[in-house]
Amino acid sequence: MSHVSVPPILDETRLSSGRLENLSARVETTGGRESISVCAPATDDEIGTIPACTATDVEVAASRARSAQSAWAETPVEQRASILRRFGDLVSERREALLDLVQLETGKSRRHAVEEVLDVSLTCSYYAAYGPDAIAEEGRRGAIPLAADARVSYDPVGVVGIISPWNYPLTLSMTDAIPALLAGNAVVCKPDEKTPYVALALAELLEAAGLPPDVFQIVTGDGPTIGPALIDRVDYVAFTGSTETGRAVAEQAGQNLIDCSLELGGKNPMLVLADADVETAARGAVQGAFTNAGQLCLAPERIYVDDARYDAFLDAFVGATRGLTLGLAFEYGPDVGSLIDGDHTERVAAAVEAAVDDGASVVSGGRRRPDVGPFCYEPTILTEVDPDSQIACEETFGPVVSVTPVSGTDEAIERANDSPYGLNASVWTRDRERGREVAREIDCGTVCVNDAYMAGWAAVDAPMGGVGDSGLGRRHGPEGIRRYVEAQTIATSRIGPLEPPSGVPTRWFVRALSGLTALQRRLLRWSR
């Protein structure tokens, strides 16, 4: 494929090769290491190199993090919150430079890159405000009212390992780290080797915000090489990536008897009910399916439309899709940017070609666009997709979506649930209450009504995650910080050992204890 002739890519940004070299230098290694080339998808030109860390480098980083963690955990939680709040402010203040860096590494459009900056700032503010209460010591019901009590405290697990993907390098390197840090943990982050500079820039801002040295460490390199080494040296793993790799992460974490959270793949359904506003649903489909050129784990890839709305919806969706602009400018112009690299572009193109061979029709898009950029691919809508074909069952992770008519809501729900994945879904209807009822019937961790994904993702007070092959655990909300703590219960008796007093027959003691238990059961019923 021919490359586009463009000016030197760095000249279009607020960055420089020297700036990228300085970020690479933040990765500490134990000696001379091979380098990994980092390329800009907009041109496929090298923009810099990063160290190819080894298992020894991971061990050193984890050791430094562990040494720094104790003092960080002893820092008052209000002070930890203040540092993270300041970090969020710095992310907002440095927005334009961070957007340049995200675009440079991913090739996404600026309008989609800005979602990442806003998300990190919001997450910082949320956990700084509500995180301390979520992990504060609390009283619980004791064994015997008035005679015993129980209190629960929450202690950090220790060192958290974060393995983040390339598609949202700013959001997904930090969304998991922020609550982990607030809870008093140290973090070792392994960003994807395609997009390391964003994580390194964020580490620099954490330091500027006042985070003590070594509390947040970054290791760079090949996932199969340093991922297992990281899992072996941390106390918790947060992973975002493919289901196949997630299974391996979970297996190794299980062998080490450490907990993990996994956000994995999805084949997300979108349901357009008979009473839906087709124009609104079409706009939602465009936003959901083609944000970040479809390289979004929450993107709808299967759209099921009631027969009564099918033709009108398809016309509206195709019209809106054909109005999108492809481009690679470092400004708020183009609607859709690039795929990440040549291998991924080949996979997306091959998936569409295979679907057509299986009988699908391309009603919009379906072409590579080397005239725009080496890895650009048109937003693509398919119809008449074989429900058993690969593209109907497996995640494409590109700007490709199928539209299928269904005979009613029951069939839409049945088709939506006919998948091992369960990450995100959406329901479109004028009757919001009906939409919520339908949402409850869909086997997904998050379901949005009249929105493709943003209403769910941006609800940072609500848990987000997948079921089935889409993963384990939850990020966001109180659940998102409590995964990083160990609960300790301290139970205190005011009367000494709970055993028969001297001289009291055991049968009398058992009778009295049974009476107290019966009273407790009644009180518990009444308290509800």
Side-chain angles (χ1 to χ4, degrees):
M1 188 191 318
S2 61
H3 287 196
V4 184
S5 177
V6 297
I9 192 69
L10 285 171
D11 291 346
E12 300 180 24
T13 72
R14 296 162 183 77
L15 306 167
S16 66
S17 58
R19 169 65 172 146
L20 300 182
E21 289 172 7
N22 289 338
L23 289 174
S24 294
R26 297 185 65 85
V27 181
E28 298 187 36
T29 63
T30 55
R33 292 286 177 265
E34 295 183 0
S35 295
I36 295 176
S37 177
V38 181
C39 296
T43 59
D44 199 23
D45 293 328
E46 180 182 289
I47 56 174
T49 61
I50 54 170
C53 291
T54 65
T56 300
D57 297 322
V58 174
E59 183 176 6
V60 170
S63 178
R64 286 179 177 148
R66 196 168 298 282
S67 296
Q69 187 268 328
S70 296
W72 175 241
E74 292 172 1
T75 302
V77 67
E78 293 79 10
Q79 186 175 338
R80 299 199 298 261
S82 179
I83 290 171
L84 290 172
R85 189 178 292 110
R86 174 59 181 152
F87 169 68
D89 293 341
L90 288 174
V91 169
S92 293
E93 292 170 12
R94 311 288 174 82
R95 181 181 66 188
E96 296 305 315
L98 286 172
L99 289 176
D100 285 353
L101 191 52
V102 170
Q103 285 195 274
L104 182 67
E105 287 196 306
T106 67
K108 67 176 61 179
S109 72
R110 201 168 190 83
R111 61 182 297 184
H112 298 153
V114 78
E115 294 178 7
E116 298 201 55
V117 174
L118 298 178
D119 174 69
V120 169
S121 297
L122 178 60
T123 301
C124 284
S125 295
Y126 170 76
Y127 279 113
Y130 294 101
D133 287 342
I135 57 174
E137 183 179 302
E138 57 186 344
R140 299 288 184 91
R141 292 180 183 274
I144 300 176
L146 303 179
D149 62 28
R151 297 197 66 80
V152 179
S153 58
Y154 298 94
D155 300 316
V157 296
V159 177
V160 173
I162 294 176
I163 303 175
S164 60
W166 50 260
N167 60 323
Y168 280 78
L170 197 154
T171 284
L172 295 177
S173 62
M174 275 295 117
T175 294
D176 290 326
I178 291 163
L181 292 169
L182 183 63
N185 298 285
V187 170
V188 180
C189 177
K190 189 274 172 197
D192 191 279
E193 58 270 26
K194 297 182 183 69
T195 55
Y197 291 119
V198 170
L200 290 165
L202 293 172
E204 189 176 72
L205 292 185
L206 279 169
E207 183 180 303
L211 189 72
D214 295 336
V215 173
F216 185 83
Q217 298 275 315
I218 289 185
V219 289
T220 57
D222 178 63
T225 300
I226 64 174
L230 179 61
I231 298 169
D232 279 344
R233 289 166 176 82
V234 298
D235 306 299
Y236 187 100
V237 181
F239 171 81
T240 306
S242 71
T243 298
E244 179 183 6
T245 304
R247 292 185 192 278
V249 170
E251 181 178 3
Q252 188 177 349
Q255 290 173 347
N256 293 344
L257 294 180
I258 63 173
D259 208 349
C260 64
S261 53
L262 312 169
E263 187 194 292
L264 308 178
K267 191 66 181 177
N268 307 306
M270 172 176 169
L271 284 64
V272 182
L273 305 189
D275 69 336
D277 182 311
V278 294
E279 297 293 337
T280 300
R283 286 190 286 109
V286 166
Q287 181 198 43
F290 305 132
T291 288
N292 195 24
Q295 299 166 121
L296 169 64
C297 56
L298 304 176
E301 293 196 2
R302 302 176 288 148
I303 303 179
Y304 301 110
V305 188
D306 191 283
D307 282 328
R309 285 287 185 269
Y310 179 76
D311 290 337
F313 170 81
L314 187 61
D315 286 346
F317 185 28
V318 169
T321 299
R322 289 176 177 170
L324 296 174
T325 57
L326 282 170
L328 301 169
F330 288 81
E331 59 185 10
Y332 295 102
D335 297 308
V336 180
S338 175
L339 296 177
I340 189 66
D341 61 20
D343 288 343
H344 190 53
T345 305
E346 289 291 338
R347 284 192 291 271
V348 171
V352 173
E353 291 165 7
V356 172
D357 290 342
D358 288 336
S361 298
V362 177
V363 295
S364 184
R367 297 184 303 160
R368 305 184 203 204
R369 291 294 300 276
D371 57 310
V372 178
F375 311 131
C376 285
Y377 195 91
E378 290 180 334
T380 299
I381 302 172
L382 303 175
T383 59
E384 301 174 291
V385 169
D386 182 339
D388 296 322
S389 65
Q390 179 180 351
I391 205 163
C393 301
E394 296 299 324
E395 185 175 41
T396 307
F397 215 61
V400 180
V401 62
S402 64
V403 184
T404 303
V406 292
S407 61
T409 301
D410 289 343
E411 183 185 351
I413 294 171
E414 181 181 358
R415 298 288 289 273
N417 290 337
D418 186 21
S419 172
Y421 298 103
L423 186 58
N424 183 65
S426 63
V427 178
W428 298 79
T429 173
R430 286 187 170 92
D431 184 343
R432 291 189 296 274
E433 185 57 38
R434 173 61 174 152
R436 285 188 283 267
E437 292 173 358
V438 172
R440 290 288 294 129
E441 299 298 317
I442 299 175
D443 299 331
C444 286
T446 302
V447 183
C448 298
V449 177
N450 294 335
D451 185 85
Y453 70 92
M454 186 60 73
W457 174 263
V460 293
D461 191 37
M464 181 268 167
V467 299
D469 285 0
S470 289
L472 303 168
R474 296 293 183 267
R475 58 164 56 106
H476 292 169
E479 296 85 351
I481 189 169
R482 285 192 170 174
R483 59 181 163 153
Y484 295 129
V485 294
E486 296 284 5
Q488 181 189 40
T489 297
I490 298 177
T492 306
S493 173
R494 297 186 176 91
I495 60 174
L498 300 177
E499 61 181 5
S502 177
V504 175
T506 300
R507 65 179 179 275
W508 292 7
F509 179 75
V510 170
R511 187 179 301 167
L513 200 60
S514 297
L516 281 172
T517 301
L519 177 60
Q520 276 189 284
R521 293 171 62 195
R522 292 191 190 98
L523 290 173
L524 287 170
R525 290 194 192 103
W526 294 338
S527 69
R528 300 293 294 175

